[in-house]
Structure formats: structure tokens, C-alpha cells
Amino acid sequence: MRALKIAGAAVAAIIVVAGLVLVIGIPSGFLTSSIQARVERETGYRLMIPGSTKISVWPQLNVTLSDVTLQDPKDRDTSDRLTVGSIQADIKFASLWSGHPEITELVIERPVLTVPLLRERTVPPSSPPRGVPPSGATDAGTISIDRVTVTDGAIVFSNLRDRVTNRIDGITANAKIDSDRNIRVTGNAHASEHPLKFVIKATTPAPPIERQNIPVDVTLEAPGLLQNPLSAKAEIRLNGSVLMINGLSGTLGDGAFNGWASVDIASKPLVKLDLDFQRLDVALSKASAGSAAQPWSNASIDLSGLNYIDLQAKISAAEINIGDARIAPVAIEAALASGVLKCRFANLGAYGGQANGDLIVDASAAAPVYALRGDLTGVHALPLLHSAADFDKLDGKLQAKLSLQSSGASQRAIMSNLDGTVFAVFQDGAIRGVNVAQMIRSLTSGTLSGWQENNEQATDLTQLSASFRIEKGKATSTDLNLVGPLVRVTGAGTIDLGEKTLALRTEPKLVMTTQGQGRTADPVGLGIPVVIDGPWAEPRIYPDMAGILDNPDAAYAKLKDMGKGLFGPNGALNGLGGNLSGQSGSTGGNGASDPLGGDLGKTIGNLIQQGLGQSRQGSVPGQIQSQTRALPAPGTPAAVAPAIPAAPASPAQSDASLPPAPESQPMNDVLRQLFNR
């Protein structure tokens, strides 16, 4: 802004001197010297015109200056200067005699304004302002301009030491000024690959304009930067080096906002603002990592711009939409200084719940550092996970505590360097597209590749909880616990966030009755752990048996040969009474499909299952008899068979109804042979 003021003063000085010189007929060479002297006297900037100076009087009076440079003489690295390819002024010849030159059109071609990017604020030396006309001399050299045209302009923001350069190119603008000092500016430009289109309306007061209110209306369209057009109006006042923006109001898309702002442009810009939005829509590009099957992106995330501006902000909104994420209501306080951004959010309305926390981004180093602390309460998990991570398989009410730190300049680096802790609980929800009970049954006949997704299936969950300790992108948990009406899974392991891989060891169990987790009998498990290993988009899932991955066919054949009645012809569990999952199909056997036939096959199957499930606690006759008496009678539908354990039988009854009970040592020998343990 300061550079623009000085550039305007320089242009005005050039025009005044040119008009006076033309009246008295001084050659163009002397004209150049006079213009340079007046510009430096009034602005303190040095004007250099190494190009030619042309004067023509037909068809109207015209002055053209080529290769004009305006520069601070104290600036050795040329980081604060204005260069212009040419300046052409069409002047009404008759107006020169009145002492008030009238310019019908001022054409500025190929102007390039270089603005230095400063890391630290500096205090400018106190000195009387330059270029302010003394009292009573305001109208002495007043110039009126009807039209200003800028073609092929550019603004370059640079820091030579940091080797940072950003540009706004292709600036084309047309300004019209009427006799009442109403200004209308229309134009377009390009910021990086993003097109910009702007319209500015203002009414300037009589000079001097400092400390006078200037009403301004602005319309801005910036596809890719702003999701919707911005329209705003305010009263602007220049107070020294501070630009005050009062009574700010407008719309962003169809959402209104209001507030105030100020910008101190003395050195490194200091922006202060307080804005309240009805609704704020923020465009968010999809992560280049794409789906869960693709690795994180190594594309650089450039946050260097945070080093060249200081900020104090309060932003509130009834609703903010960031990409697909919806947050309502919102109250955020932010402070940015020396490249460190600190944000605090309190009582954010997030997906039916609340969020509180702090976010810190330190961009002062080459690799930015991040820190996040947050508490989530009663949040609807499905839309949150879908908008934040494109994950739509888990639903329920989420309560979570996060304390995370990381560093890196890309997605992959950030995820690989992540440290901290996470505790999360999902309640009263479902795992969408996956039938966990059916997966467990399938593990009795072969390993699984992937999650066996089916959009028509789901697994209800009462609660899913886990706590994670994260070090260098590896999240380790020892208390994974899933409880559902018909399934229970406990486990532990590691999730590699940087590589998107899983290494989990779980203990799945099925509930055999519709009484769910409140039944009196324990859930039935495979008797061996289940390993989930590999990419988290499509991991391998298999029982933790010796040699199962080296020769899976032989391992499962051995398991079936030892188990006999435990497995039916398709690998499903037999003799356990009815529908294992409560969701998809029944695996109860009958005399035709059981290799040993009828109740005898079921009895043997239950004996082996009892050994598999209780091998670490030993087997006692009373437990075996209790399990046997719970079997349905031949021909009885498995779904209506009672699942209540019988009372312990007397020795006489045991001898009369069952073969001699097997001893615990033979069962242990069978398990050692089966699992090589």
C-alpha cells in the first residue's frame, strides 16, 4: 500500500512537471531531469528513466516515458521498487494554461511492483511524512484524470534470503473517474494457476485523503481460492501506516458476514480482524493420496507464507463447511507471529456433538511442526470420518481424546512422524459393509484376503474402544475391544499410519443365542487367535496356527482331520446349535452332512470345541456333560434348542448316559499336535 501511494505521487509529479515544461517549451532532456528531481523531493524515492522521453502534439498533446524505475535509494537488494515499461499521458492542451492539467487517459504498460516479504516487524524511523502538501497549497497542482488503463501488470512478493517468490500476473485494469470523484475499477489477474476477477467502487474525498473515510464496495471472484464470489463494503481510513476497515459487511456466496479489520503496512503486515459469518463455505481439494489403497502423497505442502504476515483474529460462524465437513456453531481465536500459528476452538458444534482443543502450526523451520490437542464428545462418527478421511465403514456415537504432534512438509512425512496418544470409544453403532460373524466362520476353512465387504451387510456394535500410543507413525494398542449383540473381539497390535498397514492379533468369539452378551454361557471362540496383517485396505486374515501360511491346505486338512465333527463339509462349525451370526445363514449339522452322523458327531464336535476353548483351564467331566446335555434332540430345529447349561449330573447319571469322560492330559496332547505348541 505504501509503495502504491508513492507510485501515485510519482506519476502525479511526472504529469505536473511535463505540463509546465510543455507550456514554456523546454526540451525533453531537461524535462526528464525536472521530473526526477521533483519525484525524489516529494516522495524520497529515486526515479530513473533510462529510456526515451517523447512529446507529441497531434492529434492531441501526449507525453510518453519509457523504462521508468522508482526505487528506495536505501534498498540495496532492489526488493522494494516499481518498474514500468511505459507511461503515456494524453493531456488537454487548453488545461495547461489554467494550471490544472486534465488527463483524458493515462496508460501504464507492463508495471511490476516488487513487495519485500519480511520475517520480522521493524519500527520505521520517525520522520515527517513526505509528499503531503502544506496547508493552503492543496489545489496548487491539482490534476484531474478521466481514465487509467493498466495492461500486463504484475505484483511480485519475494524474500531473497529465503528464496521465496510469489506472483500475481496478467493484471489488467481499467479505472474510470467522474467529476464527483467516483471511481470504478474493473479488472482481472492470475494468482498462480487461479484466475481472479474484481470490481472496486469508491468515492474519494477532496485531498488530502489521509484520516478521511472512503466508502468502498468490492466484488471478487477467485475460483479455486474462494468457493463462492465475495461481495463486501466498508469504510476505509488511512491513519499513518495503518489502514482501518470499519463497518465491514457483505456476503460470501449466500452467507452474510460483518465485522472490522485493520492492516499495519509500515513493515511486515500486521492484520487484525473480527468477523462473524452466518455460513462460511471453504473449498478443500481432495488429498492426492486418493483411496486407502494408495500411499500418502509426497507432494510438498508449502506453509512458508505464514512467516511473512502477523495476525490476530477472532472468527465466529453459525456454520462452517470445510469440504464435506460441517461444523456448527464455531468460535475460533487465532494468533500468528514469527511463523507460529496458534488456534483455539471451544464448544464447536461438530456432527451432533462438541469439540474443544488447540492447534499449533510452527512454519518457521524448513519442516513445519504440528501439535493438536482435542476432546470430542457425542460426535456422529460416520459423517466425521467420511469427510475427514474418506472412511465410511464405522458408525456410532464417538467420544475421543487426542494429543498428537508431528512434523513434515508432505502427507507422508506428517503421518510417518506422528507421536502422541489417542483414546476413542464408539457406542451404539455398526460396522458397515462387513459381517464379522461370517468372517469368523469363514476362517475355519481358509485364510481371507481383504475385509469381505458387502454393502448389504453390517455388524451391530454395542461398543468399540481402543487406546493407542503413537511413536514415529506407529500406533500401538493393547486394549482393542469390540462388543456387539452377536460378536465379541478383543485384541492388540500396531497400525503403521505412514505405510497404511496393520499388524493385529485378535481373539474373536461368537454369541450362540439371541440373548446376546447378556446370556449366562460364555461366547464360543475359535480357540486360537486370529491375525490381521498387511495393507489396511486389504489385509490377510487367518488363524494363528503354526505353518498355516507356509502350507495352508495341509494346515486346514490337519485341523479338520483332528477336529472331525467340528467342521462340516464346507468348513462351517457343526454341533453348536443354530445360526452362528444371527445375520447370515445357519451351520447346524444333521445326520446326512455330519461325517460321524447324528448326535454322536455333534457330541464329538462339542468335545473338541470344549477343548479348544478351555485348553488353558483344563477340562472337567461336569463341564463336558453340561455341554452334552445342552444339545438339541435329533430333528429339533437348532434355532429353538435351549442354550441353558444343565445342572451337574450325579456320578450314576454320568455313567449311564455318557462314555467315560476324557482326561485333560490327552486333550492337551491333541492340542499340542494340532497347533505345534
Side-chain angles (χ1 to χ4, degrees):
M1 182 62 68
R2 181 166 176 263
L4 291 175
K5 288 176 57 184
I6 294 173
V11 172
I14 291 172
I15 295 168
V16 170
V17 172
L20 295 175
V21 169
L22 287 172
V23 171
I24 61 177
I26 296 177
S28 61
F30 186 79
L31 170 64
T32 301
S33 300
S34 300
I35 292 174
Q36 290 173 328
R38 179 160 183 171
V39 168
E40 187 166 355
R41 182 174 66 252
E42 294 193 3
T43 67
Y45 275 61
R46 179 178 299 162
L47 179 67
M48 294 172 286
I49 311 176
S52 62
T53 302
K54 297 180 181 180
I55 302 172
S56 63
V57 294
W58 184 262
Q60 61 181 348
L61 184 60
N62 177 279
V63 178
T64 303
L65 305 176
S66 301
D67 298 332
V68 178
T69 300
L70 188 67
Q71 181 179 343
D72 186 349
K74 300 178 181 179
D75 188 4
R76 296 182 179 180
D77 60 5
T78 68
S79 62
D80 187 4
R81 67 175 182 174
L82 171 67
T83 62
V84 182
S86 68
I87 300 175
Q88 176 182 315
D90 296 335
I91 306 171
K92 289 183 179 180
F93 190 83
S95 67
L96 296 177
W97 303 104
S98 66
H100 299 281
E102 295 181 19
I103 301 175
T104 58
E105 185 172 14
L106 182 66
V107 179
I108 304 174
E109 296 183 352
R110 301 183 307 279
V112 178
L113 177 63
T114 304
V115 180
L117 297 176
L118 305 177
R119 277 184 170 265
E120 300 295 336
R121 291 183 56 79
T122 59
V123 180
S126 59
S127 61
R130 296 178 179 266
V132 179
S135 177
T138 304
D139 298 330
T142 302
I143 302 171
S144 93
I145 304 176
D146 296 337
R147 181 191 298 269
V148 178
T149 301
V150 177
T151 59
D152 197 19
I155 302 177
V156 180
F157 304 92
S158 66
N159 185 298
L160 298 181
R161 180 175 299 179
D162 294 346
R163 298 181 180 178
V164 173
T165 301
N166 295 307
R167 299 175 61 96
I168 300 177
D169 290 309
I171 300 175
T172 300
N174 188 289
K176 295 181 179 180
I177 309 167
D178 63 20
S179 58
D180 295 327
R181 293 187 291 272
N182 294 318
I183 303 174
R184 176 184 171 86
V185 182
T186 60
N188 53 71
H190 280 84
S192 185
E193 72 277 8
H194 304 293
L196 306 176
K197 185 178 180 180
F198 56 87
V199 177
I200 303 173
K201 299 177 182 179
T203 301
T204 60
I209 65 173
E210 188 168 7
R211 299 188 181 182
Q212 294 194 66
N213 289 335
I214 304 174
V216 176
D217 287 1
V218 177
T219 301
L220 176 64
E221 296 180 21
L225 296 177
L226 297 176
Q227 190 166 345
N228 296 298
L230 169 67
S231 178
K233 62 181 180 178
E235 289 190 345
I236 296 177
R237 173 184 294 186
L238 185 62
N239 185 6
S241 63
V242 180
L243 186 66
M244 309 293 296
I245 306 173
N246 298 315
L248 177 61
S249 64
T251 59
L252 184 58
D254 56 358
F257 66 89
N258 60 78
W260 62 268
S262 69
V263 183
D264 188 346
I265 55 178
S267 59
K268 180 182 180 180
L270 171 60
V271 179
K272 298 180 181 180
L273 58 86
D274 190 335
L275 296 177
D276 178 68
F277 294 85
Q278 288 184 352
R279 189 183 76 210
L280 177 60
D281 296 325
V282 180
L284 189 63
S285 61
K286 291 293 184 180
S288 57
S291 67
Q294 296 175 316
W296 297 110
S297 171
N298 285 313
S300 177
I301 300 174
D302 186 10
L303 299 178
S304 60
L306 298 179
N307 290 287
Y308 309 116
I309 187 172
D310 289 345
L311 173 70
Q312 298 175 12
K314 292 183 179 180
I315 298 177
S316 57
E319 176 183 343
I320 288 184
N321 299 310
I322 304 176
D324 295 330
R326 179 181 179 275
I327 305 174
V330 177
I332 300 175
E333 294 185 10
L336 173 62
S338 300
V340 180
L341 174 64
K342 298 180 180 179
C343 298
R344 171 165 293 181
F345 48 93
N347 299 323
L348 299 187
Y351 302 100
Q354 282 193 340
N356 298 273
D358 299 276
L359 172 66
I360 299 176
V361 180
D362 185 351
S364 60
V369 178
Y370 312 87
L372 173 64
R373 181 199 61 81
D375 291 338
L376 304 178
T377 304
V379 174
H380 190 187
L382 180 62
L384 172 63
L385 295 176
H386 183 266
S387 61
D390 199 22
F391 182 77
D392 59 356
K393 301 303 181 186
L394 191 58
D395 198 4
K397 288 294 184 179
L398 170 63
Q399 180 175 346
K401 291 184 179 294
L402 314 172
S403 180
L404 302 171
Q405 307 84 36
S406 188
S407 63
S410 68
Q411 287 182 342
R412 187 181 184 89
I414 293 172
M415 299 306 294
S416 298
N417 294 328
L418 198 64
D419 293 325
T421 58
V422 175
F423 174 75
V425 177
F426 299 83
Q427 293 181 322
D428 301 327
I431 302 175
R432 296 159 53 96
V434 177
N435 187 326
V436 175
Q438 182 174 331
M439 289 174 62
I440 295 173
R441 291 200 309 273
S442 298
L443 289 174
T444 62
S445 60
T447 62
L448 302 181
S449 178
W451 296 108
Q452 315 301 305
E453 296 181 12
N454 186 327
N455 292 332
E456 298 179 357
Q457 295 182 339
T459 299
D460 293 337
L461 62 87
T462 304
Q463 179 172 298
L464 171 61
S465 64
S467 61
F468 294 91
R469 176 68 182 175
I470 307 174
E471 294 182 356
K472 293 298 181 181
K474 294 180 173 59
T476 302
S477 176
T478 59
D479 57 0
L480 178 66
N481 187 28
L482 185 154
V483 178
L486 299 171
V487 66
R488 174 184 294 177
V489 179
T490 59
T494 299
I495 302 175
D496 192 327
L497 302 174
E499 299 296 331
K500 292 188 175 183
T501 60
L502 303 173
L504 303 176
R505 192 171 185 267
T506 64
E507 294 276 357
K509 294 184 179 181
L510 297 177
V511 179
M512 309 316 294
T513 74
T514 56
Q515 292 176 328
Q517 299 289 345
R519 75 221 167 283
T520 57
D522 289 335
V524 175
L526 291 179
I528 52 176
V530 171
V531 173
I532 304 174
D533 179 72
W536 66 32
E538 192 175 1
R540 294 176 302 173
I541 306 173
Y542 55 89
D544 188 12
M545 295 169 54
I548 193 169
L549 294 182
D550 298 331
N551 192 345
D553 293 337
Y556 280 108
K558 182 176 181 180
L559 178 60
K560 291 182 179 181
D561 182 66
M562 296 299 298
K564 298 296 184 182
L566 178 61
F567 301 102
N570 296 321
L573 292 172
N574 276 332
L576 294 180
N579 190 337
L580 288 176
S581 69
Q583 300 178 27
S584 58
S586 174
T587 58
N590 53 41
S593 61
D594 190 337
L596 297 183
D599 291 343
L600 178 58
K602 295 180 181 179
T603 301
I604 296 176
N606 278 278
L607 290 176
I608 297 178
Q609 178 65 27
Q610 186 77 10
L612 292 175
Q614 302 182 8
S615 60
R616 296 182 179 177
Q617 301 178 359
S619 175
V620 295
Q623 294 171 325
I624 297 173
Q625 183 184 14
S626 173
Q627 179 69 23
T628 304
R629 294 185 60 183
L631 294 172
T636 302
V640 299
I644 304 175
S650 64
Q653 291 173 330
S654 176
D655 292 340
S657 60
L658 284 177
E663 297 179 358
S664 60
Q665 185 60 40
M667 179 60 71
N668 290 337
D669 293 337
V670 169
L671 292 176
R672 290 192 186 98
Q673 182 180 3
L674 177 60
F675 301 119
N676 195 21
R677 298 180 178 177

